[in-house]
Amino acid sequence: MPWLLLLHITALLCWCASLLYLPALIVSTARREEAGEKGLFFVTRRVFTLIATPAALIAIISGTAIFIVDRTIEVWLVAKLTLVSGLVLCHVATGGLTLTVTQRSANYQLLFCTAVGVTSVVLIAGILWLVLAKPF
């Protein structure tokens, strides 16, 4: 069980870090594309597909396994899973922004990336608070 918890926490750290980093990378890529520089789209897409998405899948699968092994069902867990669902929606929105990085203006990307980034920060803070405040 401790190795499963370690896997879950490690995957969550990678996933959350990439969700916080990707909006800034998307805006930077959009600005450089407007300036005529090419090639950064490759990096943005690789970070999303090779780091963020596998980390998200591992975090969700290992979290589900912990839930099954512990057989826990409490109010804080349902609230946490609700916030995690919001984080999944932020992940999907980040993927959409990654795909449109070369098609939209940098100002458009800045507006939506800011919204996704702030929402991700709020959700991550809420999840962290719920996990640390849960009764033992």
Side-chain angles (χ1 to χ4, degrees):
M1 173 69 176
W3 63 270
L4 193 58
L5 191 57
L6 179 64
L7 177 67
H8 181 64
I9 291 170
T10 304
L12 270 175
L13 284 173
C14 292
W15 183 28
C16 292
S18 62
L19 279 181
L20 297 177
Y21 174 66
L22 273 166
L25 184 61
I26 291 167
V27 171
S28 174
T29 301
R31 287 190 175 149
R32 290 185 179 201
E33 290 280 334
E34 283 182 352
E37 293 182 42
K38 301 292 180 195
L40 253 113
F41 173 69
F42 177 76
V43 174
T44 305
R45 190 164 178 161
R46 290 292 181 189
V47 169
F48 183 78
T49 58
L50 296 179
I51 297 172
T53 301
L57 292 173
I58 292 169
I60 291 168
I61 291 168
S62 62
T64 303
I66 291 170
F67 170 69
I68 291 170
V69 168
D70 279 350
R71 295 186 179 143
T72 322
I73 200 104
E74 295 178 21
V75 175
W76 71 267
L77 182 63
V78 174
K80 179 189 142 194
L81 292 176
T82 304
L83 294 178
V84 170
S85 298
L87 208 56
V88 169
L89 292 176
C90 285
H91 184 88
V92 170
T94 303
L97 289 168
T98 300
L99 290 175
T100 62
V101 71
T102 58
Q103 301 166 354
R104 308 277 185 188
S105 70
N107 290 334
Y108 173 87
Q109 295 290 353
L110 179 63
L111 175 69
F112 286 99
C113 284
T114 302
V116 170
V118 168
T119 304
S120 295
V121 168
V122 169
L123 290 171
I124 291 167
I127 291 168
L128 188 61
W129 181 80
L130 279 171
V131 170
L132 295 177
K134 73 177 181 177
F136 290 98

